[in-house]
Amino acid sequence: MGRMPIVTGLSPNEGPPGTRIKIRGENLGQSPQDLIGLTICGVDSLLTAEWKSANKIIAISGPIKGKGDVIVTTRSGGIGTCNVTFKGYHIATIGPMKESAVWVEETELFSWGRHSLSPSSYQQEDPLGLSVEDTEKKIPEDDLLQFYPRKNGDITSDGFAPGWFLLENHHATSFNDLQAGLVHLRRKVQGQKEGQLSFLKANIGAVMDQLDTLVNLKEKYEADLPKFGHEPTLKLEKAIKESEHEARKLFDDVLNRKDRAEKTRNALNVLTRFRFLFCLPCVIDRNVKKGDYDIVINDYIRVKNLFHKTDVPIFKTALNEIEKRITDLQVKLHQDLQTMPITVEQQKRLIRYLVNLEAPYDSAWDAIKARSEYINKKFSLIHNYHKSMDKQESKSKPGSASKYSKYKEISSIEVAVIPACINLVDEICLSIKETFPDLWKIGQAYFSGELQCKIEAGRQVEYKHMVMNVIETFCKYVRASLIPTTLEKNDKTQYGSLTLPDRDEMVLYLPELLQQVRSTYSTFIKLDLPSEALDIISQLLLDLRIHCMSLIFQQTTEQIKQLNENWKINYSGKYTGVTGLPLKFLSFIEDLIQAIKESVLITEQREIILFENQLAQKEIEKQLKNILTAFHNVLHQLSSSEDYDEFENGTPVVSQLIGTPVSSHKTGSQSSVPIWEHRLLIILSNCLFVKTTVLDMVAAKFRENNFPALDGIISSAKDRLEQLEKSILDKYLEQKSDPLVGTIEPSMYLGRFDWHLAVPPNDIRPYVKECINNLINVHSEIIHISPTLLNAVLPQVVETVAEELYRLMSCVQKFSREGAVQARADISALSDILAGYSTENAQVHFKEALEVIPSLDRTDQILVEDILRQCKARMKIQVMCLKKKC
């Protein structure tokens, strides 16, 4: 869609009906065809409008009265606006002696040899050719006398003062208008001088002959005065009487000429009888000028039937004249037949005329060839025009060597420009829809015998080649403009691809252009063309649909690549524990499917179902794989961008016993971005949600809209997400488990404790409680992010803790009886409390750790059970936190 037209100036801005108005503004149309509406003060004036350029239109005002806007409507920009107004008024008459807001066409005041020599005839109302200003605003004559004493503003006066004249008649006229008036006055004076001189130059011989004749006449008259006296008429009277006498004597000669008169009379009778034959040349000329060719043909056939075997010389002469005019008429009709544009009915009528006149032309075939050449020539003109426009756009755009963009910054103003290749396809589709049906109709009339012409051998093959060539040329121009990669190298050189817009802009235009090509295809189908011709356009449509689908996929892929995480977790609604990233991805897929469904999947008459084509199937599989890969990369990139400045104030530890409390968030930070461990959990939750829910919804969406089976691609995407989940989980465990496990050993031997010391046990050791609290912290963190991750993450942490305890127990060199009781109570407490999240490996490690500890007697075993009972009672809340919910 182009820019809206704006009217910024009118010249003049007022006048009566019939005023010639110059309309100036911006975006007033790209061509005369683009101008579809013009109203002046609410009156439609389109019929009188003359489009000059995108900034100028000339029109004639209609029967308007009062002020109103001048509104211009264009096909490309729509209904425009007006910054000025035009005032219409009605006056009785306008002449050279009456003031008017418009220029009045004045007759030449100086006509050679016919003008009056009175001074008033040399005086014009306005020598400068400008509008006379309002008399009420003129400068008083007394004031002018002060500036120009003994002067006046009368042009014919000896005291004429130019300054007086300008102040009196043009005191408010601009300097530019005065300059234009001066040029007008000089041109007038020069024209008058040139008119007199040119007349004398052109007739100098005749003037000199006239002067010589007058001189000779005068000399002879003066010479005859002595001879004939002052009364020459007396001798003239005598001569007349003598002539009368001699004439009477000649009466006898009349009788002698009687015989000759009889012969003449007979000749006149013949002329009268055969007047039709002798007058026919003039009648033919007169009817040809009128365009009454039927009358000419009827008269010619009638004459041929009557006189074609005559031997009379005068009749043969008349027939020769008629034949000359008929030959000229045949040439004229043949030229008119091949002059485009012309309707099929007009061509048929001209062919009938030529057939009846027995013209030596194959007129019907010439008409077919003329139409074919006209279509190809119009294609070439459209292509050359838009190719030149494309070069102009490339030169006018800053940084034209860079990638084409829909909007270019020119003088800090963004202007939307429709690319030349888009306009070319649009115009070439309209052109072939207008011209090709006529070519097909005239061809069918020729071969069906409707035109009553002789059909030479081989014409059908030649006509088929002609039609196929037009269709192939049309398709190649469209391909060169939209999908040049589908053309061969020679065709690219011949049809010359234009500058292609970028992908996002092409996605905007391509669906509409696809509809244009579809409309053209529908026109061809209605003409009942053979399948061989229709298949060419059908293949073009298929390639355009695949290309359009590919561009929509690519655009969606780029949009997905630009996705960012806002880290806001959804705690309510249908999908909990995830951010908006997966749903945004799903929304892109839904928009993608809707766009493809509206523009590509629609199958009209005689079109191939898109996904029955193997190339289309491969393309959609490729593009869907790219989309899923792009989203996988987004998740992978989010899981790989660790914020190493997070702990710049000091490395946090998770041991409360060594002096630093557990911290799950940045201390004193006001950032909305969570810490690295939380981000990993969020990404892990999103990956799990995408794998288990979103991808299945994507597959269902494609199935619902009749896309081909994409289960393999979806399954592959799930496998990659599963690998990504494992990678993210390993990172989280590395970030969470390693510090947690690393604090067990220092906390175990805190206060110089050792397992061989005889310290009576009465409770589990503090490192066990700390370990449980740390696991509760991890449990809380996971629950806070996404409860669905609990069974995937916490068992891995418990397994790491169990493995570390087994290692530490294995490293103890000696246990005292009390140390063995303490160790067994500690390991048993951890094993029981963490049983809900213990994997088989964790249980094995706990069991192996207990096996490392020396065996206890019955008394020590009872002591261990008592310690465990008291521990669970005191740590009832912790036990409930780590109890697995079914």
Side-chain angles (χ1 to χ4, degrees):
M1 193 70 177
R3 300 191 64 186
M4 182 176 66
I6 303 174
V7 176
T8 58
L10 301 173
S11 178
N13 59 6
E14 62 178 8
T19 301
R20 189 169 182 264
I21 307 172
K22 293 182 181 179
I23 303 170
R24 299 188 181 274
E26 300 175 2
N27 312 310
L28 301 183
Q30 302 174 356
S31 64
Q33 293 76 19
D34 195 26
L35 181 64
I36 61 174
L38 174 64
T39 59
I40 302 175
C41 299
V43 177
D44 188 3
S45 304
L46 180 61
L47 292 178
T48 65
E50 182 182 2
W51 185 89
K52 294 294 186 180
S53 67
N55 303 105
K56 181 180 178 181
I57 296 174
I58 297 178
I60 305 299
S61 65
I64 57 177
K65 188 173 183 181
K67 286 188 176 181
D69 292 335
V70 178
I71 304 299
V72 177
T73 305
T74 62
R75 194 185 308 278
S76 59
I79 301 175
T81 59
C82 183
N83 297 336
V84 293
T85 58
F86 180 84
K87 180 181 178 182
Y89 56 86
H90 293 276
I91 59 175
T93 56
I94 297 177
M97 303 302 294
K98 191 161 186 176
E99 295 183 0
S100 172
V102 299
W103 290 356
V104 179
E105 296 294 336
E106 299 175 356
T107 59
E108 282 289 339
L109 295 177
F110 305 104
S111 299
W112 176 258
R114 293 184 298 170
H115 63 275
S116 173
L117 296 178
S118 62
S120 61
S121 63
Y122 291 92
Q123 184 175 1
Q124 302 182 55
E125 184 179 10
D126 189 359
L128 299 181
L130 304 175
S131 299
V132 178
E133 298 173 358
D134 191 0
T135 55
E136 296 178 359
K137 299 180 180 179
K138 289 185 178 180
I139 300 175
E141 185 175 354
D142 295 339
D143 295 340
L144 293 174
L145 285 173
Q146 295 179 3
F147 294 100
Y148 303 99
R150 295 187 299 279
K151 299 289 183 178
N152 56 56
D154 186 4
I155 297 177
T156 61
S157 174
D158 293 335
F160 171 71
W164 183 309
F165 176 83
L166 293 178
L167 290 173
E168 184 179 29
N169 297 284
H170 301 285
H171 64 278
T173 305
S174 65
F175 181 74
N176 291 335
D177 290 341
L178 290 175
Q179 284 183 319
L182 177 60
V183 172
H184 173 78
L185 181 59
R186 287 175 177 172
R187 187 166 59 249
K188 281 284 187 181
V189 174
Q190 189 64 27
Q192 295 166 7
K193 292 180 179 179
E194 290 179 355
Q196 299 172 3
L197 292 175
S198 62
F199 178 82
L200 290 175
K201 290 178 181 179
N203 300 277
I204 187 66
V207 172
M208 297 302 297
D209 290 341
Q210 292 170 4
L211 291 174
D212 292 340
T213 301
L214 291 174
V215 171
N216 292 334
L217 182 63
K218 180 182 178 184
E219 290 176 353
K220 288 184 178 181
Y221 181 76
E222 291 175 351
D224 290 343
L225 282 177
K227 184 177 180 181
F228 297 103
H230 293 282
E231 295 293 338
T233 57
L234 296 176
K235 290 187 176 183
L236 180 61
E237 183 181 2
K238 182 179 178 181
I240 291 173
K241 289 181 178 180
E242 291 178 356
S243 298
E244 184 180 2
H245 177 71
E246 292 294 331
R248 290 183 179 277
K249 291 180 9 175
L250 296 177
F251 178 74
D252 295 335
D253 294 338
V254 174
L255 297 176
N256 297 330
R257 293 196 295 271
K258 182 178 180 181
D259 294 335
R260 189 171 58 182
E262 289 294 335
K263 294 179 181 179
T264 304
R265 188 177 296 108
N266 293 333
L268 291 174
N269 290 333
V270 171
L271 289 175
T272 303
R273 180 179 177 185
F274 299 100
R275 182 175 56 183
F276 169 71
L277 173 64
F278 298 112
C279 294
L280 187 56
C282 295
V283 173
I284 289 175
D285 292 339
R286 184 169 61 251
N287 289 330
V288 167
K289 289 182 180 179
K290 293 180 180 179
D292 296 333
Y293 302 124
D294 287 319
I295 298 176
V296 174
I297 293 170
N298 291 334
D299 292 342
Y300 176 66
I301 294 174
R302 179 182 171 191
V303 165
K304 285 192 67 177
N305 292 334
L306 293 174
F307 301 98
H308 71 286
K309 294 182 179 180
T310 184
D311 293 329
V312 181
I314 191 170
F315 289 173
K316 287 185 176 180
T317 303
L319 287 175
N320 290 335
E321 290 295 326
I322 294 172
E323 289 293 343
K324 288 181 182 179
R325 284 162 173 76
I326 293 299
T327 302
D328 294 339
L329 176 60
Q330 291 173 350
V331 173
K332 179 182 182 303
L333 293 177
H334 189 255
Q335 291 177 350
D336 294 341
L337 179 70
Q338 300 178 86
T339 303
M340 297 291 158
I342 185 174
T343 65
V344 175
E345 295 303 321
Q346 289 174 335
Q347 273 192 325
K348 288 181 179 180
R349 186 163 58 252
L350 293 175
I351 292 170
R352 178 169 57 83
Y353 293 155
L354 290 170
V355 170
N356 292 334
L357 291 173
E358 299 179 357
Y361 309 110
D362 192 351
S363 52
W365 184 249
D366 291 341
I368 293 173
K369 289 200 300 183
R371 283 209 172 272
S372 175
E373 292 171 358
Y374 172 69
I375 293 173
N376 289 324
K377 183 178 179 181
K378 197 168 184 181
F379 284 170
S380 180
L381 290 174
I382 293 172
H383 176 261
N384 292 337
Y385 171 77
H386 288 290
K387 189 174 182 180
S388 64
M389 295 300 295
D390 184 53
K391 291 181 180 179
Q392 292 177 10
E393 291 174 5
S394 300
K395 290 180 181 180
S396 63
K397 293 175 183 176
S400 58
S402 62
K403 187 177 179 182
Y404 187 94
S405 175
K406 181 179 180 182
Y407 296 97
K408 290 294 185 180
E409 185 173 344
I410 304 175
S411 303
S412 71
I413 300 177
E414 292 188 352
V415 181
V417 179
I418 300 178
C421 63
I422 305 300
N423 285 328
L424 187 146
V425 174
D426 185 62
E427 286 194 25
I428 213 167
C429 287
L430 293 175
S431 173
I432 197 170
K433 283 193 292 185
E434 292 174 356
T435 57
F436 185 85
D438 292 339
L439 173 64
W440 181 253
K441 290 175 183 177
I442 195 72
Q444 295 302 302
Y446 174 66
F447 290 107
S448 66
E450 179 185 345
L451 302 180
Q452 300 177 355
C453 296
K454 181 181 178 182
I455 303 175
E456 297 183 9
R459 291 298 195 199
Q460 288 186 343
V461 176
E462 191 174 352
Y463 178 72
K464 177 182 177 182
H465 175 72
M466 193 182 297
V467 170
M468 297 294 288
N469 179 63
V470 169
I471 295 176
E472 288 175 355
T473 303
F474 161 74
C475 293
K476 287 177 180 179
Y477 273 123
V478 174
R479 289 181 183 275
S481 301
L482 300 179
I483 43 177
T485 54
T486 60
L487 285 176
E488 297 180 359
K489 186 176 180 180
N490 294 336
D491 291 334
K492 287 182 181 179
T493 304
Q494 180 179 355
Y495 297 97
S497 59
L498 304 180
T499 304
L500 292 176
D502 59 14
R503 181 187 58 255
D504 292 341
E505 187 174 7
M506 183 64 84
V507 169
L508 294 177
Y509 294 115
L510 198 54
E512 184 176 352
L513 294 179
L514 192 58
Q515 290 301 320
Q516 283 281 22
V517 178
R518 274 195 173 119
S519 176
T520 305
Y521 187 38
S522 176
T523 301
F524 286 5
I525 293 174
K526 293 177 182 178
L527 295 175
D528 197 20
L529 267 68
S531 299
E532 186 178 356
L534 293 175
D535 289 342
I536 299 175
I537 309 179
S538 177
Q539 185 61 42
L540 171 64
L541 262 177
L542 178 62
D543 292 343
L544 283 175
R545 291 165 68 192
I546 293 175
H547 183 62
C548 182
M549 178 189 69
S550 178
L551 289 181
I552 295 173
F553 266 103
Q554 292 175 24
Q555 184 186 48
T556 304
T557 302
E558 290 300 319
Q559 291 173 343
I560 289 173
K561 287 180 180 179
Q562 304 301 321
L563 283 176
N564 290 319
E565 181 62 88
N566 59 8
W567 307 110
K568 294 181 180 180
I569 303 172
N570 184 19
Y571 293 107
S572 61
K574 185 177 180 181
Y575 306 110
T576 59
V578 296
T579 63
L581 187 65
L583 298 178
K584 190 67 177 293
F585 166 74
L586 181 60
S587 174
F588 281 149
I589 296 295
E590 291 174 347
D591 293 342
L592 162 72
I593 294 173
Q594 185 63 26
I596 293 176
K597 183 178 178 181
E598 292 177 353
S599 58
V600 175
L601 293 186
I602 299 173
T603 303
E604 297 185 0
Q605 185 181 2
R606 210 183 177 279
E607 285 190 33
I608 301 172
I609 298 176
L610 187 64
F611 296 126
E612 289 182 358
N613 182 267
Q614 292 184 355
L615 183 61
Q617 291 180 4
K618 292 180 180 179
E619 183 66 22
I620 191 173
E621 290 174 359
K622 172 187 171 183
Q623 295 299 335
L624 181 58
K625 185 176 180 181
N626 291 341
I627 283 181
L628 296 177
T629 301
F631 187 66
H632 175 274
N633 292 339
V634 169
L635 295 174
H636 182 268
Q637 185 177 4
L638 289 172
S639 66
S640 303
S641 55
E642 182 177 357
D643 187 2
Y644 291 102
D645 296 331
E646 183 177 346
F647 306 122
E648 64 184 11
N649 294 328
T651 303
V653 295
V654 293
S655 176
Q656 300 177 6
L657 299 177
I658 17 185
T660 306
V662 177
S663 175
S664 297
H665 300 275
K666 294 182 182 180
T667 304
S669 174
Q670 299 298 325
S671 174
S672 61
V673 179
I675 62 174
W676 174 237
E677 291 89 343
H678 288 189
R679 297 206 299 270
L680 287 176
L681 285 176
I682 293 172
I683 299 168
L684 186 60
S685 175
N686 285 339
C687 286
L688 185 62
F689 176 64
V690 171
K691 183 183 74 173
T692 58
T693 304
V694 173
L695 289 182
D696 292 337
M697 295 174 68
V698 169
K701 292 287 184 183
F702 279 110
R703 283 195 302 271
E704 291 171 2
N705 291 278
N706 300 322
F707 280 73
L710 303 171
D711 296 337
I713 299 175
I714 298 295
S715 178
S716 176
K718 288 183 178 181
D719 293 340
R720 282 182 292 163
L721 282 174
E722 189 171 349
Q723 295 175 2
L724 181 60
E725 289 176 12
K726 184 177 179 181
S727 173
I728 296 172
L729 182 59
D730 291 342
K731 290 181 182 180
Y732 179 80
L733 293 176
E734 181 182 352
Q735 294 291 323
K736 208 68 179 176
S737 299
D738 290 354
L740 187 149
V741 171
T743 61
I744 294 177
E745 185 175 3
S747 300
M748 181 182 290
Y749 295 101
L750 191 65
R752 299 182 180 181
F753 172 81
D754 205 341
W755 297 106
H756 68 274
L757 297 176
V759 179
N762 57 3
D763 196 1
I764 59 175
R765 292 278 296 162
Y767 79 89
V768 178
K769 297 178 180 179
E770 182 192 29
C771 187
I772 292 172
N773 288 332
N774 287 337
L775 287 171
I776 291 174
N777 184 29
V778 174
H779 182 280
S780 173
E781 186 174 86
I782 297 171
I783 288 291
H784 176 73
I785 301 298
S786 177
T788 57
L789 297 176
L790 198 59
N791 294 329
V793 178
L794 198 59
Q796 301 294 328
V797 180
V798 172
E799 183 177 332
T800 307
V801 171
E803 184 179 2
E804 177 66 13
L805 287 174
Y806 166 67
R807 185 188 69 82
L808 292 176
M809 292 297 106
S810 300
C811 294
V812 176
Q813 296 179 355
K814 181 181 179 182
F815 283 94
S816 64
R817 186 186 70 82
E818 291 82 358
V821 172
Q822 185 67 58
R824 191 169 288 275
D826 293 345
I827 300 301
S828 298
L830 279 174
S831 178
D832 292 346
I833 295 174
L834 301 179
Y837 296 98
S838 295
T839 63
E840 292 183 1
N841 290 336
Q843 293 175 1
V844 170
H845 289 316
F846 281 129
K847 184 176 180 182
E848 290 175 346
L850 291 173
E851 291 174 354
V852 171
I853 302 171
S855 300
L856 302 178
D857 55 17
R858 181 60 183 168
T859 304
D860 293 336
Q861 186 66 33
I862 293 173
L863 179 58
V864 169
E865 293 175 358
D866 186 54
I867 291 173
L868 288 175
R869 186 170 54 255
Q870 294 178 10
C871 170
K872 290 180 180 180
R874 285 193 297 268
M875 300 180 67
K876 183 178 180 180
I877 297 177
Q878 287 87 336
V879 172
M880 291 177 64
C881 289
L882 294 175
K883 185 177 181 180
K884 188 174 183 179
K885 297 180 180 180
C886 298

